[in-house]
Amino acid sequence: MKPPLELPEDLRRRLRSHSPELESDIERFLEMAPSPCLYIRSERVSRSPLRPSLLHRLMGHRAAQPVLPTLDSKFGGIPYVEEAGLTWEGFHFLGQLNFTQLSEAPAVLPRRGLFALDRDLRAPDCSANSFRVRWYPEPTEARALPVSPPPCVGRWETRMRFSAGWSLPGGDAWEAPLSSGDAQLRDTWNAWAPSGYLEDERSPGTHRLSGHRGAGLDAPYSFVPPPGRDSAPQAYAQLLRIDFDNASGFQWGTNWPYVLIHPEDLAENRLERAVVAWANA
C-alpha cells in the first residue's frame, strides 16, 4: 500500500505564504509523484568469503565454494551463461537478477528473464563501458553452460533479498513544482523526508530496482546511449542503482553505477540495450 504523503505543517505554512495556488500545485504533484520500486538487500550464504583477505588466511580460513544455484539472483558466485565463447579475461562478475524471483515487481519490469552485470577491469572507474551487460530472456537450467567460478567484484557470495517500496522524484524533478526563488522554501522542501519512501537513501547498502531516477542522474558521468536511441540521459529510465555493499564486499566511493534503459527498450523486453552510467550517490 502506498504510504501517505502529508505535508509537514511548517512546510505547508511556507507554501501558503507564497500563494494558495502553490500549495495546491504541490499537493497535486504529490498525488502523482510516488512510483513503486523494489529494494535489494544482500545476505551472505557462507561463513567464509570467495576471496579471503590476508587476515582470513592467517586465521586458517579457506576460500568458500559458491553454493547458490546458477539461476538465482545474487552477487558473486557462479553466473548464468548461455554463450559458448564468453570470455572472463579482464572481467569480474558482479551479480545477476532473475526476474521470475520478483514477486512484487513494478508493472514496467519484465516478468521473466535474467539480467547480469560484469565489471570490465580494463575500463577506469566512472568511465563508459566499465560494465558488460548480459540479458537472457528465457533462462533455463538446460540452456545454462557449465562455468568455472570466475573472479567476482565482491569478496562474498550473497543472496539478493527483495522488498517492495516506493520512490519519489529526485534532483531537478523534485524541485520542479516549486517555481520559486525562495532559498529557504527550497531548503525546507529538500529537507523533508517523507516516511515510507526512499528506503535506499535512508539505509546504506540498499540497492533500488526501478522507480524514479536518482538525483545524481541530473549530471551523470560517461553516459553513452545505445545505438539508435536518444543521446540525452534524461530520456532514460533508471532500471537499477547499485549502492556499496558491505555484505558482498564491494564499494564504489562517492560515485555509483546506474543502469539506464530507454522506456521503449524496456517495454520491448530488450534489456540487452541497457547501459551503465556513473553519477554521484
Side-chain angles (χ1 to χ4, degrees), residues 39 168 170 198-204 206 208 214-215 241 281:
Y39 298 119
L168 293 170
L198 302 174
E199 288 182 26
D200 55 322
E201 297 183 5
R202 301 169 184 265
S203 177
T206 302
R208 189 202 303 173
R241 181 171 72 176

Short mmCIF file of all heavy atoms in Angstrom, two decimals, residues 39 168 170 198-204 206 208 214-215 241 281:
data_model
loop_
_atom_site.label_atom_id
_atom_site.label_comp_id
_atom_site.label_asym_id
_atom_site.label_seq_id
_atom_site.Cartn_x
_atom_site.Cartn_y
_atom_site.Cartn_z
N TYR A 39 13.45 -2.84 -3.38
CA TYR A 39 14.74 -2.68 -2.72
C TYR A 39 15.44 -4.03 -2.69
O TYR A 39 14.82 -5.08 -2.50
CB TYR A 39 14.55 -2.16 -1.30
CG TYR A 39 13.90 -0.80 -1.26
CD1 TYR A 39 12.69 -0.60 -0.62
CD2 TYR A 39 14.50 0.30 -1.88
CE1 TYR A 39 12.08 0.64 -0.59
CE2 TYR A 39 13.91 1.54 -1.85
CZ TYR A 39 12.69 1.72 -1.21
OH TYR A 39 12.10 2.94 -1.19
N LEU A 168 10.41 8.52 -4.83
CA LEU A 168 9.96 9.86 -5.20
C LEU A 168 10.95 10.45 -6.19
O LEU A 168 12.12 10.03 -6.23
CB LEU A 168 9.86 10.75 -3.96
CG LEU A 168 8.78 10.39 -2.94
CD1 LEU A 168 8.96 11.20 -1.67
CD2 LEU A 168 7.39 10.62 -3.53
N GLY A 170 13.80 12.69 -7.84
CA GLY A 170 14.99 13.24 -7.23
C GLY A 170 15.52 14.43 -8.00
O GLY A 170 15.21 14.62 -9.18
N LEU A 198 11.86 6.06 -0.24
CA LEU A 198 13.31 6.17 -0.43
C LEU A 198 14.09 5.47 0.68
O LEU A 198 15.04 6.02 1.24
CB LEU A 198 13.71 7.65 -0.52
CG LEU A 198 13.03 8.45 -1.63
CD1 LEU A 198 13.40 9.93 -1.53
CD2 LEU A 198 13.42 7.92 -3.01
N GLU A 199 13.72 4.23 0.93
CA GLU A 199 14.44 3.47 1.97
C GLU A 199 15.90 3.27 1.61
O GLU A 199 16.76 3.16 2.50
CB GLU A 199 13.77 2.11 2.16
CG GLU A 199 12.42 2.17 2.85
CD GLU A 199 11.84 0.78 3.06
OE1 GLU A 199 12.63 -0.19 3.13
OE2 GLU A 199 10.61 0.65 3.12
N ASP A 200 16.20 3.21 0.31
CA ASP A 200 17.59 3.01 -0.09
C ASP A 200 18.45 4.21 0.28
O ASP A 200 19.67 4.06 0.48
CB ASP A 200 17.69 2.73 -1.59
CG ASP A 200 17.02 3.79 -2.44
OD1 ASP A 200 15.96 4.30 -2.04
OD2 ASP A 200 17.56 4.12 -3.52
N GLU A 201 17.87 5.40 0.37
CA GLU A 201 18.63 6.57 0.76
C GLU A 201 18.75 6.70 2.28
O GLU A 201 19.62 7.40 2.79
CB GLU A 201 17.99 7.83 0.16
CG GLU A 201 18.02 7.82 -1.36
CD GLU A 201 17.47 9.08 -1.98
OE1 GLU A 201 17.14 10.03 -1.23
OE2 GLU A 201 17.36 9.13 -3.22
N ARG A 202 17.87 6.02 3.00
CA ARG A 202 17.93 6.03 4.47
C ARG A 202 18.78 4.88 5.01
O ARG A 202 19.26 4.95 6.13
CB ARG A 202 16.52 5.90 5.06
CG ARG A 202 15.53 6.98 4.65
CD ARG A 202 14.13 6.56 5.07
NE ARG A 202 13.10 7.47 4.64
CZ ARG A 202 12.61 8.45 5.37
NH1 ARG A 202 13.07 8.64 6.58
NH2 ARG A 202 11.67 9.24 4.91
N SER A 203 18.89 3.82 4.23
CA SER A 203 19.56 2.60 4.69
C SER A 203 20.73 2.28 3.76
O SER A 203 20.55 1.67 2.70
CB SER A 203 18.56 1.44 4.71
OG SER A 203 19.18 0.24 5.08
N PRO A 204 21.94 2.72 4.08
CA PRO A 204 23.10 2.46 3.23
C PRO A 204 23.27 0.97 2.94
O PRO A 204 23.01 0.13 3.79
CB PRO A 204 24.27 3.01 4.05
CG PRO A 204 23.66 4.03 4.94
CD PRO A 204 22.29 3.51 5.28
N THR A 206 21.64 -0.50 0.46
CA THR A 206 20.41 -0.97 -0.17
C THR A 206 20.38 -0.50 -1.62
O THR A 206 20.61 0.68 -1.90
CB THR A 206 19.18 -0.42 0.57
OG1 THR A 206 19.24 -0.83 1.94
CG2 THR A 206 17.89 -0.94 -0.04
N ARG A 208 18.36 -0.12 -5.42
CA ARG A 208 16.99 0.13 -5.86
C ARG A 208 16.78 -0.34 -7.29
O ARG A 208 17.53 0.01 -8.20
CB ARG A 208 16.64 1.61 -5.77
CG ARG A 208 15.13 1.88 -6.01
CD ARG A 208 14.85 3.29 -6.46
NE ARG A 208 15.34 4.27 -5.51
CZ ARG A 208 15.32 5.59 -5.76
NH1 ARG A 208 14.84 6.05 -6.90
NH2 ARG A 208 15.79 6.44 -4.86
N GLY A 214 17.41 8.73 -9.63
CA GLY A 214 18.07 9.39 -8.52
C GLY A 214 18.54 10.77 -8.89
O GLY A 214 18.74 11.10 -10.07
N ALA A 215 18.76 11.62 -7.89
CA ALA A 215 19.19 13.00 -8.12
C ALA A 215 20.52 13.07 -8.85
O ALA A 215 20.77 13.99 -9.64
CB ALA A 215 19.27 13.74 -6.79
N ARG A 241 19.94 1.07 -9.44
CA ARG A 241 21.01 1.85 -8.82
C ARG A 241 21.73 0.94 -7.84
O ARG A 241 21.10 0.33 -6.97
CB ARG A 241 20.47 3.09 -8.10
CG ARG A 241 21.60 3.91 -7.48
CD ARG A 241 21.14 5.24 -6.95
NE ARG A 241 20.34 5.11 -5.74
CZ ARG A 241 19.90 6.16 -5.05
NH1 ARG A 241 20.14 7.38 -5.48
NH2 ARG A 241 19.19 5.97 -3.96
N ALA A 281 26.38 9.72 -5.68
CA ALA A 281 25.43 8.97 -4.86
C ALA A 281 24.29 9.87 -4.42
O ALA A 281 23.17 9.42 -4.27
CB ALA A 281 26.12 8.37 -3.65
#
